Amino acid sequence: MLVFAMTAAGVVLPPALVQGWGRRLPGWMPAGGAWFGCMLLCARGFSGVADSVVRATGVLPHGLTGMTTEQVFGTAHPSTWARVASAATDVLFAVE
């Protein structure tokens, strides 16, 4: 249920920030929703970067989640492209 509510907010919030009908809402509502969404994206990104770093350095071989490389990537020996794409996605979420 929470996922559906977050999806609905993600669909309605961006237009509410820029369209006229969004001005009828109290200003704190769309601004608060936008900030909350940004914080969620940043938390996802930074946790992904941290997970990749501890795996790569060997500090925690199973990362922060305790999942093996095979569980994360779907194969025990992921390609360089899969690793780079995963890291790039995490960085993009972090700088969002």
Side-chain angles (χ1 to χ4, degrees):
M1 186 65 176
L2 180 63
V3 173
F4 293 122
M6 290 174 67
T7 302
V11 168
V12 173
L13 182 61
L17 291 170
V18 296
Q19 292 185 358
W21 60 266
R23 291 190 189 97
R24 286 184 259 158
L25 299 171
W28 63 268
M29 288 178 74
W35 276 105
F36 182 72
C38 286
M39 293 302 107
L40 283 177
L41 291 174
C42 285
R44 186 260 183 242
F46 285 119
S47 65
V49 169
D51 186 65
S52 297
V53 168
V54 296
R55 278 180 201 277
T57 59
V59 173
L60 294 172
H62 294 294
L64 299 174
T65 60
M67 296 172 61
T68 65
T69 301
E70 185 171 5
Q71 290 172 319
V72 172
F73 289 101
T75 179
H77 305 287
S79 66
T80 301
W81 172 247
R83 289 183 185 271
V84 169
S86 175
T89 300
D90 291 338
V91 168
L92 286 173
F93 270 100
V95 299
E96 181 68 30

